[in-house]
Amino acid sequence: MPGQYPHGAGQAVSGGHDDSGTTGSATRRERLSWRGRAGLLLAGSMLASPLFGAAARAQAAGVSTAGLSISTIEVMQLAVFVGVTGTAFLSAIVLIRERARTSAENVELRSRVADVNAALRRSEALLNLRDQRVIVWASENKKPELVGVLPVESGAPEERAAFLAFGRWLMPRSAAALEHAIAALREKARPFDLVIESQAGAPLEVHGRKSAAHVLVRFVSLSETQRSQARLKIENHRLAADHDTMIGLLEALKMPAWLRDEHGRLKWVNRAYADAVEAESAEAAVRDAKEFLGGQAREAIDAQHKLHPVFEQSLSTVIEGDRRVFAVTDFASADGSAGLACDTSAIESIRGEYERTVRSHADTLDQLNTAVAIFDTDEKLRFFNQAFQKLWGLDSGFLHSAPDNALLLDRLRSEGKIAEQPEWRRWKEGLLGAYRAVESQEHWWHLPDGKTIRVVANPQPKGGVTWVFENLTEKMDLESRYRTAVRVQGETLDNLAEGVAVFGPDGKLRLSNPAFATLWRLDAEATKPNVHVSTIRDLCDRQAVDSPWPSFVAAITGFDDERRDRHGQTELNNGTVLRYAMIPLPNGQVMMTFVDVTDGVRVERALKDKNEALEKSDQLKNDFVQHVSYELRSPLTNIIGFTELLSLPTTGPLTQKQREYVEHVGSSSSVLLTIVNDILDLATVDAGIMQLDISEVHVDRTIEAAAELVADRLQEHSIRLEVNAKAAPKTFHGDETRIRQILYNLLSNAANYAPEASTIRLACRHLADGVEFSVHDDGPGMPPDVLDSVFRRFEPRANGGRRRGAGLGLSIVKSFVELHGGGVRIETGKDKGTTVICTFPDMPGIRAAAE
């Protein structure tokens, strides 16, 4: 089979020369071919020597060679072949050399070469008994030589370069292992025996050995049984490698992992599991059966495995004193189970924080007055706040059904809540183009109900659009009204007679009206905006007698403690009096107002002079009244005394006429004395020196004493006194003398106006905060114009009264009641009589002196 050996490695010797002794180039080619074969035979002999030695030693030890593996026998066969071939080749070389010496020897050499050629053919036949190929590296030739053949189904290409490129026809893992083994064999003489796999799926045995001068690598095809065993071996090797890789991965993970046997007992855990259960090592955790999950969690896993082999659920357990949440995945089979736990506490915390943030944002958006609606990438409504529902008046059921944006617009159009557009479809498509836009879009909607809505479509980074509907109706209305108000205020300020000037925090004039310049006699240049207050101060200081502008400047440009309201008055050189007010504004500015009060000041001065004159006149009147009253009391006392003396029988008999005169003189003197006493009492009250003698006032006794004082007058006109004190308290705090005087004046006033043979009703009752006395008569009553002056002094009333008095009775009553802290009121009407009601507070700490 000459074609199966590249470079003529397996070509017969007879193919290189003939029996006629051809020389020249053919002879040289023959010698080169023989040199190559001589090297191969020498390497074979060297490889066979140790193998034969091993076999001999085995036989010497009594070990049968029948138990040797197929691979060992094949190597031995190869060694026999190589040894025989090497021997024959060496013999051929010797014969060739001898042939050169003598022609006689050439004939012998040809004979021996023929024998060598036959031996080579027998060696080639022996080598091809099995599909195999040998790679030989000779020490003098670094390029490898290939010997033998492999079947096509092995996947090995026939070209030498393609065959030596192992990655082209071997599996990647096999190619890498083979190249690594060959490198170790050539560099370190480390022999190897491998089972590799071609890309076609055929397993091969590879043996590598190194002699003193050659490196040999043999590829051998396997039988079907050997292939199955090799595949099983490769698969086991892969499984072992995958197992080691998986175990290494699980050990490197920071997630607890475990394996259990068919009885549920731990048989392996990783380092993260041991750390989680606080074990010294993974072996200690397995030995001590430390469980990562609690009993209830394990029971849940076992219950799930009865229904399904895979358990996936979040479970909580305590790690280092903290409760954490783990995503547990556990797979169960007939031979046991395996589990993995991923700590999701941080994820759960982030998820909870995210949900709380979303709820907080939703709650915040619900509190806004601006309508907000969020649509997802499918243009479905996913969120809306209360302002959105209130703005469009849509029912919550429709909004919670997640309508798309186009349907929502159609709904608003059908209900007449948005204005009809000339080209509705194009308008809607332009609006919904926000879902394909990158930047925000702004639209203005003028609704049929008069509202103006600013619509902002803000695209979201992950798709969808956030729609913001800002109702600017009120804002625009406020802006319009604000502009109108500013114009009105400007016109108002310009037409005010009051001067107004506003200064900023920097001391510059912001605005002023013409009245300000007129009052201070300033020209138009001095009152322009941004003129500093110091310039205006210099001009105004010349106009004022005592200028207040230095304090104005300090207040305008000073600190906050100096910025306070100020009011005052200043007079100009021309006699004009200006009243000013300085008011700090919230925006840091200061407003100053100036009013011309010259006329008012003059009138005020005149009124003050007149008031002082009236006060002096009133003081003179009071002094005169007090003086006259005191001076009248002494002669009246004498008159009353002598009148009583004349009426005594011991003085002497009097005629009837004289007795009547004496009685008239006595009664007139008593009335005059009462008037004088009332005047003195009022003068004492006015002077603020009257003192009350507060004590326990017995109501019954006080009413009885006052009734005795007016009994004669009541009897004279057949007037009956009716007293109702059932609801009255027994006592209360007050000045008994003054209260008796109050009741006497009230009864006297009622007796003066009560009709003949009528009834006067005196009542007393207890109130929640004091005592109330009331006196009612059936007289003509008081008209409304009289009620305003009834308590004035020296205002006598003659509407139906029997006699005209001094007009001091009710004045005395009012003064004494108010001294007690009470009050007086009159209830009257036409033909309904008059009722005077006096209220006294029952407090022990009542004022003891008039104020």
Side-chain angles (χ1 to χ4, degrees):
M1 295 179 291
Q4 294 181 359
Y5 299 90
H7 307 289
Q11 189 175 2
V13 177
S14 60
H17 63 278
D18 53 14
D19 294 338
S20 60
T22 305
T23 58
S25 60
T27 304
R28 286 194 298 271
R29 288 194 301 268
E30 182 179 336
R31 285 199 299 269
L32 290 175
S33 177
W34 278 106
R35 287 178 183 177
R37 294 188 179 185
L40 178 60
L41 294 176
L42 179 59
S45 63
M46 296 176 65
L47 181 63
S49 299
L51 294 176
F52 280 119
R57 286 192 298 273
Q59 290 179 357
V63 179
S64 176
T65 59
L68 294 175
S69 65
I70 297 176
S71 299
T72 305
I73 294 174
E74 292 173 351
V75 173
M76 293 175 65
Q77 292 175 353
L78 177 63
V80 171
F81 162 73
V82 174
V84 174
T85 306
T87 303
F89 196 74
L90 290 176
S91 300
I93 294 174
V94 173
L95 290 177
I96 291 172
R97 289 179 179 177
E98 290 180 356
R99 182 185 176 187
R101 295 176 184 175
T102 61
S103 59
E105 294 175 351
N106 289 339
V107 175
E108 185 180 358
L109 180 60
R110 288 190 188 96
S111 177
R112 292 183 178 180
V113 167
D115 295 338
V116 169
N117 191 18
L120 283 175
R121 290 177 180 176
R122 289 193 299 270
S123 299
E124 290 176 357
L126 179 63
L127 183 62
N128 293 328
L129 287 177
R130 296 192 59 195
D131 296 330
Q132 54 187 332
R133 174 164 284 190
V134 180
I135 305 177
V136 180
W137 283 271
S139 58
E140 69 274 7
N141 186 8
K142 298 300 182 180
K143 292 184 178 181
E145 294 289 339
L146 298 180
V147 180
V149 65
L150 286 176
V152 178
E153 58 268 17
S154 67
E158 293 303 323
E159 295 81 3
R160 184 178 70 89
F163 182 83
L164 294 178
F166 303 122
R168 294 179 60 183
W169 62 281
L170 293 178
M171 298 297 290
R173 183 180 298 179
S174 298
L178 179 59
E179 290 177 354
H180 179 74
I182 291 175
L185 175 65
R186 298 184 64 183
E187 296 174 3
K188 301 179 181 179
R190 185 179 300 166
F192 65 88
D193 297 296
L194 297 177
V195 178
I196 61 176
E197 185 179 8
S198 68
Q199 293 183 357
L204 303 171
E205 280 191 355
V206 183
H207 306 281
R209 298 294 184 272
K210 184 177 182 180
S211 64
H214 295 82
V215 175
L216 294 94
V217 176
R218 185 169 71 114
F219 296 82
V220 181
S221 296
L222 303 179
S223 63
E224 190 64 30
T225 302
Q226 291 174 332
R227 289 183 181 183
S228 299
Q229 294 176 352
R231 289 192 183 98
L232 182 60
K233 185 176 179 181
I234 293 173
E235 189 65 27
N236 290 336
H237 178 72
R238 287 179 179 176
L239 290 176
D242 293 341
H243 176 268
D244 295 340
T245 303
M246 187 61 65
I247 293 298
L249 174 62
L250 293 177
E251 285 288 351
L253 289 177
K254 300 299 182 182
M255 297 181 288
W258 60 91
L259 294 176
R260 299 180 185 272
D261 57 17
E262 64 273 11
H263 301 294
R265 294 188 296 267
L266 290 173
K267 63 179 183 181
W268 179 87
V269 297
N270 64 349
R271 185 63 203 174
Y273 185 102
D275 294 339
V277 298
E278 300 180 359
E280 296 180 357
S281 62
E283 292 78 10
V286 174
R287 183 183 65 249
D288 299 337
K290 290 190 174 182
E291 293 292 345
F292 172 71
L293 298 174
Q296 186 175 0
R298 296 198 304 276
E299 291 176 0
I301 294 175
D302 294 339
Q304 177 67 23
H305 284 330
K306 294 178 181 179
L307 303 175
H308 196 271
V310 179
F311 174 87
E312 289 182 316
Q313 190 174 337
S314 295
L315 300 175
S316 63
T317 186
V318 178
I319 304 296
E320 297 179 353
D322 296 332
R323 180 162 294 278
R324 300 182 185 176
V325 179
F326 287 84
V328 178
T329 302
D330 195 276
F331 175 79
S333 64
D335 298 328
S337 63
L340 184 67
C342 179
D343 189 355
T344 60
S345 301
I347 298 175
E348 293 296 330
S349 176
I350 294 173
R351 180 182 292 109
E353 183 66 25
Y354 171 76
E355 292 176 354
R356 288 191 294 270
T357 302
V358 170
R359 287 195 299 268
S360 176
H361 288 173
D363 295 340
T364 302
L365 292 176
D366 273 340
Q367 302 301 321
L368 294 178
N369 292 326
T370 302
V372 178
I374 300 176
F375 290 80
D376 59 12
T377 54
D378 298 329
E379 302 183 13
K380 298 288 186 180
L381 179 63
R382 294 305 177 190
F383 172 81
F384 63 93
N385 61 353
Q386 296 180 2
F388 178 83
Q389 182 178 4
K390 182 179 179 181
L391 174 64
W392 300 114
L394 298 173
D395 57 282
S396 59
F398 171 74
L399 295 176
H400 284 100
S401 64
D404 58 21
N405 206 339
L407 178 60
L408 180 63
L409 292 174
D410 292 337
R411 176 75 175 268
L412 296 177
R413 178 194 181 191
S414 62
E415 295 184 1
K417 295 180 179 179
I418 57 177
E420 187 67 37
Q421 302 297 326
E423 296 184 7
W424 171 258
R425 185 181 299 275
R426 181 177 298 178
W427 179 84
K428 185 172 66 173
E429 290 177 356
L431 192 67
L432 297 180
Y435 290 91
R436 300 178 297 275
V438 178
E439 298 181 352
S440 299
Q441 297 181 2
E442 181 177 330
H443 308 275
W444 290 83
W445 292 1
H446 301 283
L447 305 185
D449 58 357
K451 294 180 181 177
T452 301
I453 305 297
R454 176 175 173 262
V455 181
V456 178
N458 185 24
Q460 299 178 7
K462 295 184 178 181
V465 175
T466 300
W467 294 89
V468 179
F469 301 87
E470 186 178 3
N471 189 353
L472 299 180
T473 307
E474 184 176 357
K475 179 181 178 182
M476 297 178 67
D477 182 57
L478 289 176
E479 290 180 354
S480 176
R481 285 191 284 177
Y482 172 75
R483 296 190 187 97
T484 303
V486 169
R487 290 195 298 268
V488 171
Q489 290 175 0
E491 293 295 330
T492 303
L493 289 176
D494 289 343
N495 292 278
L496 282 178
E498 181 179 6
V500 178
V502 178
F503 293 89
D506 54 357
K508 294 183 179 180
L509 183 65
R510 293 290 187 266
L511 62 89
S512 63
N513 62 348
F516 173 74
T518 302
L519 292 175
W520 287 98
R521 297 183 178 180
L522 301 175
D523 54 16
E525 294 294 330
T527 56
K528 286 185 176 181
N530 295 325
V531 176
H532 200 269
V533 65
S534 58
T535 303
I536 298 177
R537 178 197 61 188
D538 296 339
L539 297 175
C540 294
D541 284 344
R542 306 171 188 172
Q543 306 293 334
V545 176
D546 187 10
S547 177
W549 278 93
S551 63
F552 293 167
V553 175
I556 293 171
T557 60
F559 296 101
D560 292 339
D561 55 349
E562 298 178 358
R563 294 172 55 84
R564 59 181 183 274
D565 292 355
R566 298 188 181 187
H567 300 273
Q569 191 170 290
T570 184
E571 186 173 354
L572 304 184
N573 296 330
N574 59 358
T576 303
V577 179
L578 300 179
R579 181 174 296 166
Y580 63 84
M582 179 177 291
I583 303 171
L585 301 178
N587 57 358
Q589 299 179 350
V590 177
M591 181 179 69
M592 301 180 62
T593 61
F594 300 91
V595 182
D596 187 354
V597 294
T598 306
D599 297 337
V601 169
R602 292 174 181 173
V603 171
E604 182 182 359
R605 291 173 181 174
L607 291 176
K608 284 183 179 179
D609 294 341
K610 183 177 181 180
N611 185 55
E612 290 177 359
L614 291 175
E615 288 179 353
K616 290 180 180 179
S617 174
D618 188 59
Q619 184 64 33
L620 289 174
K621 180 193 70 173
N622 291 334
D623 294 341
F624 171 77
V625 169
Q626 291 182 16
H627 179 73
V628 170
S629 300
Y630 279 109
E631 293 298 328
L632 288 176
R633 179 173 290 183
S634 296
L636 281 175
T637 304
N638 294 331
I639 293 172
I640 293 173
F642 285 116
T643 303
E644 292 177 352
L645 182 61
L646 289 175
S647 62
L648 293 176
T650 57
T651 304
L654 296 175
T655 62
Q656 184 64 28
K657 203 65 172 176
Q658 290 174 342
R659 188 173 296 278
E660 291 178 359
Y661 290 157
V662 170
E663 291 177 357
H664 283 299
V665 171
S667 60
S668 298
S669 300
S670 298
V671 172
L672 183 58
L673 182 60
T674 301
I675 294 173
V676 171
N677 289 333
D678 290 343
I679 292 174
L680 289 176
D681 289 338
L682 290 174
T684 305
V685 170
D686 292 339
I689 59 176
M690 174 171 282
Q691 294 183 354
L692 298 177
D693 185 10
I694 303 299
S695 62
E696 290 286 338
V697 178
H698 295 271
V699 176
D700 296 340
R701 188 172 62 190
T702 303
I703 292 175
E704 184 178 354
E708 290 179 355
L709 293 176
V710 296
D712 294 339
R713 296 181 61 182
L714 297 177
Q715 186 177 4
E716 180 181 356
H717 303 286
S718 301
I719 298 174
R720 189 170 63 90
L721 178 62
E722 180 182 321
V723 179
N724 182 9
K726 295 180 180 179
K730 292 183 178 180
T731 61
F732 70 96
H733 290 85
D735 189 335
E736 186 174 357
T737 302
R738 300 304 178 187
I739 292 175
R740 185 170 61 248
Q741 188 174 354
I742 291 170
L743 295 179
Y744 167 73
N745 286 336
L746 292 178
L747 292 174
S748 299
N749 184 71
N752 188 35
Y753 292 95
E756 294 286 341
S758 63
T759 301
I760 296 176
R761 297 176 181 84
L762 173 60
C764 180
R765 61 172 183 161
H766 183 266
L767 301 178
D769 55 352
V771 181
E772 179 185 275
F773 290 92
S774 63
V775 177
H776 175 78
D777 64 82
D778 295 330
M782 298 181 185
D785 56 340
V786 176
L787 288 176
D788 297 335
S789 61
V790 68
F791 292 109
R792 294 179 184 174
R793 301 173 185 177
F794 306 106
E795 290 286 344
R797 294 177 288 112
N799 55 330
R802 293 183 177 85
R803 57 182 178 178
R804 185 180 181 88
L808 296 175
L810 292 179
S811 299
I812 291 291
V813 169
K814 186 175 185 297
S815 298
F816 287 170
V817 171
E818 290 178 350
L819 280 176
H820 283 80
V824 181
R825 71 180 188 275
I826 297 176
E827 296 178 357
T828 183
K830 186 177 181 181
D831 300 333
K832 293 183 179 179
T834 302
T835 302
V836 182
I837 302 172
C838 301
T839 304
F840 298 90
D842 185 13
M843 296 187 298
I846 198 171
R847 295 179 300 176
E851 296 180 357

